[in-house]
Amino acid sequence: MGSLADPYALRCVSDLPPPFRSVFRFRYFNSLQSECFHVCFFSDVNMVISAPTGSGKTVLFELCILRLLSRFLSPDWRFNLNKGTLKTIYIAPSKALVQEKLRDWNMKLGPLGINCLEMTGDSEFYNNKAIHDADLILTTPEKFDSMSRHGIKGGRLGFFSDIALVLIDEVHLLNDPRGAALEAVVSRIKMLSRNDNMKSFPLANVRFIAVSATIPNIEDIAQWLLAPPEGIKRFGEEMRPVKLTTKVFGYAPAKNDFLFERRLQSFIYDILMQHSRGKSALIFCSTRKGAQEAAQCLSQTGASLGYSNPFMKSMQQYEHLKEASLTCSDKQLQACIVHGVGFHNGGLCLKDRGLVEGLFLKGDLQVLCTTNTLAHGINLPAHTVVIKSTQFFNKEKGLYVEYERSMVLQMCGRAGRAPFDDTGTIIIMTRKETVHLYENLLNGCEMVESQLLPCAVEHLNAEIVQLTVSDIILAVEWIKCSYLYTRIRKNPENYGVKRGTPQDLLEKQIQDICVQKIHELVDYGLILTDEGAFVLQPLEPGRLMAKFYLKFDTMKLIVKASASCSMEDLLHVICHSAEITWIQLRRKDKKILNDINADKDGRLLFHIVTENGKRKKRVQTREEKIFLLANDCLTGDPLIHDLSLNQETNSICSNGCRIAKCMREYFIYKKNYRSAINSMILANSLHQKLWESSPFLLKQLPGIGIVTAKALKTAGIHSFETLATADARKIELATGRNYQFGNHIKESMSSLPPKIDIDIEETGNRFGKTTITVTLTRLSQAVPSSKRSCADMVVASEEDNVILFHENIRTREFHSPYSVKVFVPCPQNARVTLKVDLIFEGYVGLDVHKKHVVSREDGLYVTKEHVIDKLEPAYNLPSEICLVSSRTTRTSRSQSYTEQSPLSKEVYVIEDDGVAVSALEKADNVLGTRKFNNLASLLGIIQPSPCGRSAYTTTLY
C-alpha cells in the first residue's frame, strides 16, 4: 500500500485494506477526497479542510477513522478490534447532526464491531462503562464540556487517555457564541495531551481533523490545531458538484419580529416564480406554524390558478398526489399536497412525515415548507433553497434571534440536487441591515473569531476544578492552547489589546488576563491561591459552579446570599441570575403582570411589593416580571396562557431548578440550615412547577393534568393520602373517566418514594452534651422500580442555624431501620431545638419534618419531641406527608458513597460553644464544620445499632 504516482488521479476504494472497503458504497473517491486521501489515510498529521457544503468532507472523517483502526490490522489483513482502547471523538454543532452521523456510522462501521455512543441532551442513558467501552463518541461541544467537568480522578475523565482522534465538524462554529464551549473542550484535550502522565497513552499523540465551510482565515484554525502545511486543504466552489447561484434580499423591518416574518410570506410566490419555476424548492421557516402557513398560502395561490398551477406539471403527478392525500391523517397537509405543496415539521406523525419525504424525493411534491431541523436530520436536497427570515424564535430566550452561521450554511447545503440538477439556487430573505453579513457568509469572506474571552472565567474555573490548571504558568498555557491566543496575536484590537503591541508586551497582557480572572475567582471564594497566584487550588463553590454549568455572575449571587434565606429570597436570586438575563419586560406584558400581582383571589405565595410592604401596582423591571411568572406557574394552575410568556416561564423553571440545586449543595457545604432546606424545597417546586402548598399536588402523578386535579380536588381528593384511601370507582366518577382509570391512578402512586417515619430519642448525656439518636423506619413496602429515589436527611440546630449532620439517602434501597447518633452540646440553663428533615428529591408535598427540644435546667435534661404539622412562615416548610415504598442505600452528595466500610463516613463536629472549627477555615471561610474522613480515627469505635442487624449507628462529637 502506498501513494500513487499521480497526486491528482482519482483514488480507488480498492486502495484501502480489504476489511475497510465495505465502508464505502462507490468505487472511486471524488477529486477532493482523492487529493486528501494520502494525508488522511497514510499519515497521522493534524488537518484542517475548508470546502463548500456538499463536497464530500464526511468521507475524509471516515478515512481518518479507518487510519486509526488500521492499528488493529494483522499482517495478513485480519481485523482484531480491542474495544474502547483507541477512541474517536466526533464533535458537531447540533444534536440533529450528531444523530444523523450516528445512524450513518452505525450502518457503515457496525459490521466492523465499532461501538458508537451518542452523548447529547437527548441521550442520558450512558454510564461510565458505556463511555469506556465506546470506540466512537458522538457529541455536541456543550454536552462534552458539561459531562467532562467532574474531575479527572472522578472517573468521568478517565477515558481521556484513550482519545486518539478528534473530529470537529463545522469548525466555523467558533464564530458563534456557542463556539466558546468548542474552544474550551479542544483546549482541554490539548492541555491533557501534554501532561507527563499521558506520555504512554494514545492521548499524547492525539490527532485533530477539522472541516469547515469556505472561510478566509483557515490558516488561523490550522495554527491553533497545530496542522502542518500538508494538512491544510482549501477548496473553492470548483469542488461543489452543483454550481450555485446565491441571492440575499433585504426587507424593511416591521413593528415586531413576528409581523416581519409573516410579511415575508407574501414575497415567497414571486421569488419561486422568478428563480425556481418548475424546479423543486425547500422553504425553511423558523416555526412549525410558519411552515404550515407558508404551505397553505402557496397551495391556495396555486389552486386559484387552476390548470395553470405552476406547482403541477402533469395529470399523472396530480393523480399521484390525490391518491397519496387519501392516506394522510393531517387534514391541513391533505389539503395542501393535492396542489403540489407540502409542509414538514415535528408536529406531524411519523407516517405523514414519511409520506411527504417520499413524495418530495420522487418529484411529485414540488415545494416543501419546513423548519430548520430538516437541514440536519434528513437528506432532502432541492434545486432551490429559500430561507424565509434569518431569525428564529428561541424558546429558551423567549425572543427572536439570528440563526447561527453554521445553521445557515447547513440549510444552504441542501441546494443543488446531484445528479438531477447541474445548478442550484440559494435565496436568503433578511432585514436590510443584515444583508452584508449573509453576503459575506455565502462568499466565504467572514473571518472566524474567538468567543472565549467573555466567558473565560467560567472555563478557567472548570480547568482548575479538573486539575488541568494548577498554577499560573498552566493558566497561561491554557490560554495559549486556545483559539483566542491565535486570534489575539493576529487581531488584538478585537480583544481589547492595542494594535502594534510588541510581542513581549502582548505575552504580558495575556498573562494579565489570566491573573485578572484568577483574582475574580479568589475574591468570591471559588478557588484558593497563594500570595503570588502561583498555586491554584479548587474549592467547593468553584466545583459547584463547574458541576452545574453556571455563569460566574450567578455564582457570585449565591456566594453573597444570606445564611438564613427564605424561599422568597432564594427566588429573587434566581430572578437576577445571568442564565435568564435575555428575558426582557415588554410593554405588552405589563397589563397581565400587573393583574397577576394584584392577586384578588389570593393565589400567589409571594408578590412584588414596595419598600413599605404594599403590593406594587405596576411592574417595572425584568426581574419583577420573572418573579411573577414563576409565582404564577408554581400555583399549579397558572393564569398566563400567552405562548411567548409560557416559553419564558418554562426556561425560568428549568434554569431555576438547576440554580436551586447548586444553592442546595452550596448551603449544605456552608452548614447554613435554613438556606439549605429552602433551596431543596425550591428546587423540587421548580422541577414540578408546584408549590408544596398547592392544592394540585396530584399533578405529580403520571396521567393527572390540571383538569383531572381540579375534579379530584372538588371531590375532596387533594393529597396523596386521600388518594391512597379513595375508592377507584369514586375517582372515575369524579373525573368522568372510563373504568380502570381509578385503578391506574392508584397504581401510579408506586412511582412515589416510600413512606418513612422519623423517630428522635435521647440516648445519653455526659459532660454537658446530649446524645440524640435519629432513626428512619420505612412504613411501606419497597416497590421495585427503575426510577431513582433519593432524599436529603438533615439534622440541625435551629438556634444556631447550623447543620449538624447531612446525608443523601437512596430511599428505595436503605436497610430499615437506619439510625444516626448526634452528640449535641447543651450548656447549663440553655435550650437546643434539634430539627430533623427528610426532603425527597424531585417531589413536593412528601417531606417529613420533626423537631426535638433539649433543655438543661439545674443539671437535669428535659426533652420534648414535636411533629411539625404546620410550617413556620420563615422557613416555608411543608407539612408532614409521605407515601409509598422501596429499598435504600446510603450516599453522600459531596462524594459518591462507594466505600466498603462505614468507617469512611464523613462526619462533622460541633464544638462546645456551638461553633465548629474548620479544617480549611482560612481557605474556605467555612463556619461550623470540621471534617473527618475516617470515623475510627476520631472515635476509635463503631457502636452497633439496637434497631436491627442491618442498621448501623454513627455518633457525632
Side-chain angles (χ1 to χ4, degrees):
M1 302 275 303
S3 63
L4 297 179
D6 183 2
Y8 298 104
L10 295 184
R11 300 302 298 257
C12 185
V13 172
S14 60
D15 292 340
L16 294 170
F20 296 158
R21 295 170 188 170
S22 61
V23 171
F24 304 103
R25 296 180 179 85
F26 47 79
R27 291 182 61 191
Y28 292 94
F29 296 101
N30 68 22
S31 55
L32 176 147
Q33 297 155 358
S34 296
E35 185 173 336
C36 298
F37 183 91
H38 187 270
V39 183
C40 286
F41 191 75
F42 289 108
S43 79
D44 291 313
V45 302
N46 297 336
M47 297 184 70
V48 179
I49 304 104
S50 170
T53 303
S55 53
K57 297 189 291 290
T58 298
V59 169
L60 305 183
F61 281 155
E62 292 164 353
L63 286 171
C64 293
I65 293 171
L66 295 178
R67 164 69 181 180
L68 181 64
L69 295 177
S70 65
R71 300 185 193 180
F72 298 113
L73 287 174
S74 65
D76 59 348
W77 299 125
R78 291 182 180 276
F79 183 68
N80 301 304
L81 177 67
N82 191 355
K83 281 189 173 293
T85 55
L86 289 176
K87 295 190 190 302
T88 298
I89 308 295
Y90 169 80
I91 304 174
S94 71
K95 291 183 288 188
L97 190 53
V98 165
Q99 289 161 356
E100 182 184 352
K101 286 292 188 289
L102 180 69
R103 290 191 297 268
D104 191 27
W105 285 343
N106 268 331
M107 203 157 36
K108 289 182 176 181
L109 302 174
L112 293 174
I114 304 303
N115 184 12
C116 299
L117 176 68
E118 176 195 349
M119 280 173 41
T120 64
D122 289 345
S123 56
E124 301 292 346
F125 62 88
Y126 55 81
N127 51 35
N128 285 350
K129 186 178 186 307
I131 294 173
H132 282 275
D133 290 344
D135 302 299
L136 176 53
I137 296 175
L138 300 93
T139 184
T140 56
E142 294 86 356
K143 188 63 181 179
F144 194 70
D145 185 22
S146 173
M147 64 78 53
S148 60
R149 282 187 173 195
H150 299 290
I152 301 169
K153 296 180 180 178
R156 299 304 295 265
L157 287 185
F159 72 95
F160 263 55
S161 60
D162 297 326
I163 295 175
L165 177 63
V166 178
L167 309 174
I168 308 170
D169 208 347
E170 301 190 26
V171 72
H172 49 270
L173 175 71
L174 289 167
N175 210 32
D176 293 322
R178 292 177 54 223
L182 173 60
E183 193 172 340
V185 297
V186 172
S187 298
R188 182 174 307 151
I189 293 170
K190 289 174 67 178
M191 284 286 290
L192 288 171
S193 70
R194 300 174 184 181
N195 193 306
D196 289 340
N197 296 329
M198 295 291 173
K199 284 184 178 178
S200 60
F201 293 97
L203 183 67
N205 300 299
V206 63
R207 185 186 191 190
F208 291 98
I209 311 294
V211 302
S212 164
T214 307
I215 54 174
N217 59 330
I218 183 178
E219 289 81 8
D220 291 340
I221 295 175
Q223 183 179 343
W224 174 47
L225 296 178
L226 307 177
E230 64 270 24
I232 304 173
K233 301 290 183 181
R234 184 198 298 272
F235 300 95
E237 291 299 311
E238 73 280 356
M239 285 298 175
R240 192 185 290 275
V242 176
K243 303 306 175 186
L244 291 182
T245 301
T246 60
K247 302 281 185 183
V248 182
F249 297 141
Y251 299 89
K255 288 183 180 179
N256 57 53
D257 299 318
F258 175 75
L259 289 176
F260 176 77
E261 184 168 349
R262 293 204 71 173
R263 201 179 76 190
L264 294 182
Q265 199 117 300
S266 60
F267 298 103
I268 293 177
Y269 180 81
D270 292 335
I271 285 175
L272 292 179
M273 292 304 98
Q274 185 177 353
H275 299 281
S276 183
R277 191 177 181 96
K279 300 286 189 179
S280 61
L282 273 175
I283 300 169
F284 285 104
C285 307
S286 64
T287 64
R288 294 178 181 181
K289 188 176 180 181
Q292 182 177 321
E293 289 178 348
Q296 288 172 330
C297 181
L298 291 171
S299 175
Q300 289 164 8
T301 303
S304 67
L305 297 173
Y307 290 111
S308 301
N309 182 351
F311 310 128
M312 202 68 65
K313 296 178 183 177
S314 64
M315 184 57 68
Q316 185 183 16
Q317 178 191 0
Y318 175 74
E319 293 297 333
H320 287 167
L321 291 174
K322 188 175 180 182
E323 183 181 348
S325 70
L326 298 176
T327 64
C328 183
S329 58
D330 188 284
K331 299 300 180 185
Q332 285 79 17
L333 180 60
Q334 189 179 69
C336 288
I337 62 177
V338 292
H339 301 296
V341 181
F343 61 87
H344 184 291
N345 59 44
L348 294 177
C349 66
L350 286 173
K351 179 185 173 185
D352 286 351
R353 272 186 274 175
L355 174 69
V356 170
E357 292 162 15
L359 290 172
F360 188 74
L361 284 171
K362 289 177 185 176
D364 289 333
L365 208 59
Q366 187 175 315
V367 179
L368 184 60
C369 303
T370 182
T371 51
N372 56 52
T373 52
L374 189 74
H376 284 305
I378 304 166
N379 186 21
L380 288 182
H383 174 273
T384 302
V385 163
V386 178
I387 301 177
K388 191 191 81 168
S389 178
T390 54
Q391 291 192 330
F392 73 103
F393 189 82
N394 187 303
K395 292 181 180 179
E396 291 186 354
K397 296 186 175 182
L399 72 162
Y400 283 84
V401 296
E402 292 290 321
Y403 283 123
E404 291 174 352
R405 305 293 191 268
S406 57
M407 174 60 78
V408 174
L409 292 171
Q410 194 69 27
M411 289 189 280
C412 292
R414 296 299 184 188
R417 293 201 314 164
F420 306 106
D421 296 312
D422 54 6
T423 63
T425 303
I426 296 171
I427 310 289
I428 295 182
M429 305 170 73
T430 187
R431 288 163 175 73
K432 286 183 177 179
E433 62 267 24
T434 53
V435 166
H436 68 286
L437 296 178
Y438 294 98
E439 287 178 338
N440 289 340
L441 181 67
L442 293 179
N443 294 329
C445 300
E446 187 176 55
M447 300 289 284
V448 176
E449 298 288 353
S450 170
Q451 305 296 323
L452 182 64
L453 192 57
C455 50
V457 67
E458 287 92 348
H459 289 293
L460 179 58
N461 174 71
E463 301 308 322
I464 295 171
V465 166
Q466 292 165 132
L467 308 180
T468 52
V469 169
S470 57
D471 55 47
I472 186 63
I473 297 172
L474 287 174
V476 174
E477 189 65 24
W478 173 73
I479 287 282
K480 289 185 176 182
C481 281
S482 69
Y483 183 60
L484 171 65
Y485 180 70
T486 302
R487 286 303 300 159
I488 206 171
R489 297 170 68 194
K490 292 282 185 72
N491 186 17
E493 286 180 320
N494 198 52
Y495 305 94
V497 178
K498 187 178 179 181
R499 180 172 290 278
T501 301
Q503 189 63 32
D504 56 338
L505 290 180
L506 186 61
E507 295 288 328
K508 175 68 167 58
Q509 291 204 9
I510 291 170
Q511 183 172 329
D512 289 344
I513 290 173
C514 290
V515 172
Q516 176 196 345
K517 304 301 180 189
I518 288 167
H519 281 314
E520 289 177 22
L521 293 169
V522 170
D523 289 344
Y524 284 90
L526 273 65
I527 66 170
L528 181 67
T529 184
D530 59 3
E531 199 159 317
F534 289 110
V535 178
L536 307 176
Q537 178 184 342
L539 298 177
E540 189 64 16
R543 292 190 184 97
L544 294 177
M545 185 174 87
K547 175 182 176 181
F548 289 97
Y549 218 78
L550 295 187
K551 295 183 183 295
F552 183 46
D553 286 342
T554 301
M555 200 65 207
K556 288 194 283 189
L557 294 174
I558 296 173
V559 169
K560 291 189 289 187
S562 164
S564 300
C565 284
S566 66
M567 196 81 73
E568 186 176 8
D569 296 333
L570 296 172
L571 191 55
H572 277 297
V573 170
I574 291 172
C575 294
H576 286 78
S577 65
E579 281 69 16
I580 50 179
T581 51
W582 47 265
I583 296 179
Q584 299 299 317
L585 177 62
R586 298 181 290 262
R587 184 177 298 176
K588 66 171 187 172
D589 301 335
K590 292 185 178 180
K591 184 180 185 308
I592 188 171
L593 293 171
N594 291 336
D595 290 343
I596 287 173
N597 196 46
D599 195 20
K600 296 175 183 177
D601 299 325
R603 299 167 54 256
L604 300 189
L605 190 58
F606 305 117
H607 303 85
I608 301 296
V609 295
T610 60
E611 292 182 359
N612 58 12
K614 292 183 179 180
R615 291 182 196 173
K616 268 191 172 184
K617 293 184 178 180
R618 294 178 182 175
V619 174
Q620 296 174 305
T621 66
R622 49 171 298 280
E623 289 82 11
E624 292 174 349
K625 169 185 172 176
I626 294 169
F627 189 79
L628 286 175
L629 289 179
N631 268 280
D632 180 59
C633 174
L634 293 172
T635 62
D637 183 21
L639 291 178
I640 293 175
H641 300 292
D642 176 77
L643 177 62
S644 63
L645 289 177
N646 281 340
Q647 288 170 331
E648 289 175 341
T649 301
N650 290 337
S651 184
I652 292 166
C653 289
S654 60
N655 282 291
C657 181
R658 179 161 54 95
I659 295 166
K661 285 180 178 179
C662 181
M663 290 194 288
R664 162 198 170 282
E665 294 203 22
Y666 175 77
F667 290 124
I668 289 172
Y669 155 77
K670 296 291 286 186
K671 305 301 168 200
N672 302 147
Y673 169 65
R674 295 184 187 92
S675 293
I677 290 293
N678 285 326
S679 297
M680 295 174 192
I681 297 170
L682 181 58
N684 292 338
S685 296
L686 290 167
H687 174 68
Q688 291 290 352
K689 297 183 179 177
L690 289 166
W691 287 125
E692 74 239 335
S693 57
S694 169
F696 308 113
L697 293 178
L698 297 182
K699 282 175 62 181
Q700 297 174 84
L701 293 174
I704 297 183
I706 185 59
V707 175
T708 304
K710 282 182 176 179
L712 290 172
K713 177 177 175 289
T714 303
I717 305 171
H718 54 81
S719 68
F720 296 113
E721 290 180 334
T722 54
L723 181 63
T725 57
D727 179 69
R729 306 291 80 79
K730 179 185 176 183
I731 294 172
E732 292 155 4
L733 186 64
T735 57
R737 305 295 286 271
N738 295 331
Y739 174 67
Q740 291 292 325
F741 175 76
N743 298 82
H744 294 322
I745 290 300
K746 289 175 73 70
E747 288 168 6
S748 72
M749 294 180 68
S750 62
S751 65
L752 296 174
K755 185 174 183 178
I756 297 174
D757 181 53
I758 298 176
D759 180 67
I760 306 173
E761 181 184 6
E762 180 201 344
T763 54
N765 57 77
R766 61 174 181 173
F767 308 121
K769 299 179 182 179
T770 302
T771 304
I772 300 293
T773 301
V774 180
T775 304
L776 304 184
T777 307
R778 197 164 43 232
L779 301 181
S780 54
Q781 292 298 316
V783 176
S785 173
S786 60
K787 191 171 183 181
R788 182 174 176 265
S789 174
C790 294
D792 285 296
M793 177 185 174
V794 179
V795 182
S797 165
E798 184 177 39
E799 287 81 5
D800 297 330
N801 188 35
V802 172
I803 296 175
L804 306 180
F805 176 80
H806 165 261
E807 184 176 3
N808 186 254
I809 298 171
R810 293 184 181 174
T811 56
R812 296 186 187 277
E813 301 168 22
F814 80 96
H815 297 290
S816 177
Y818 166 60
S819 297
V820 173
K821 287 189 177 181
V822 183
F823 213 66
V824 183
C826 185
Q828 192 168 353
N829 297 322
R831 165 193 175 104
V832 175
T833 305
L834 202 67
K835 300 286 289 283
V836 180
D837 304 274
L838 196 65
I839 312 295
F840 290 88
E841 187 177 302
Y843 293 94
V844 293
L846 298 178
D847 305 331
V848 186
H849 306 275
K850 285 194 176 181
K851 69 179 178 180
H852 189 92
V853 179
V854 178
S855 58
R856 187 182 176 199
E857 300 171 3
D858 299 325
L860 298 175
Y861 285 91
V862 181
T863 66
K864 295 181 181 180
E865 183 177 328
H866 301 271
V867 176
I868 306 176
D869 294 319
K870 297 292 182 182
L871 300 175
E872 295 89 337
Y875 310 142
N876 296 303
L877 301 177
S879 57
E880 181 191 359
I881 304 174
C882 188
L883 263 243
V884 189
S885 52
S886 264
R887 309 166 307 164
T888 308
T889 60
R890 311 177 56 251
T891 61
S892 172
R893 283 283 187 184
S894 56
Q895 62 184 55
S896 299
Y897 190 79
T898 56
E899 294 86 339
Q900 298 296 317
S901 165
L903 292 177
S904 56
K905 180 180 179 72
E906 184 177 78
V907 177
Y908 295 95
V909 177
I910 306 300
E911 303 293 346
D912 284 343
D913 60 359
V915 179
V917 181
S918 168
L920 291 172
E921 184 172 351
K922 184 177 180 180
D924 297 309
N925 192 26
V926 181
L927 298 178
T929 67
R930 179 186 292 166
K931 287 191 178 182
F932 295 87
N933 288 326
N934 193 313
L935 185 60
S937 68
L938 174 63
L939 300 178
I941 58 169
I942 288 291
Q943 301 181 5
S945 169
C947 302
R949 183 176 59 83
S950 60
Y952 62 86
T953 303
T954 305
T955 304
L956 279 74
Y957 289 88

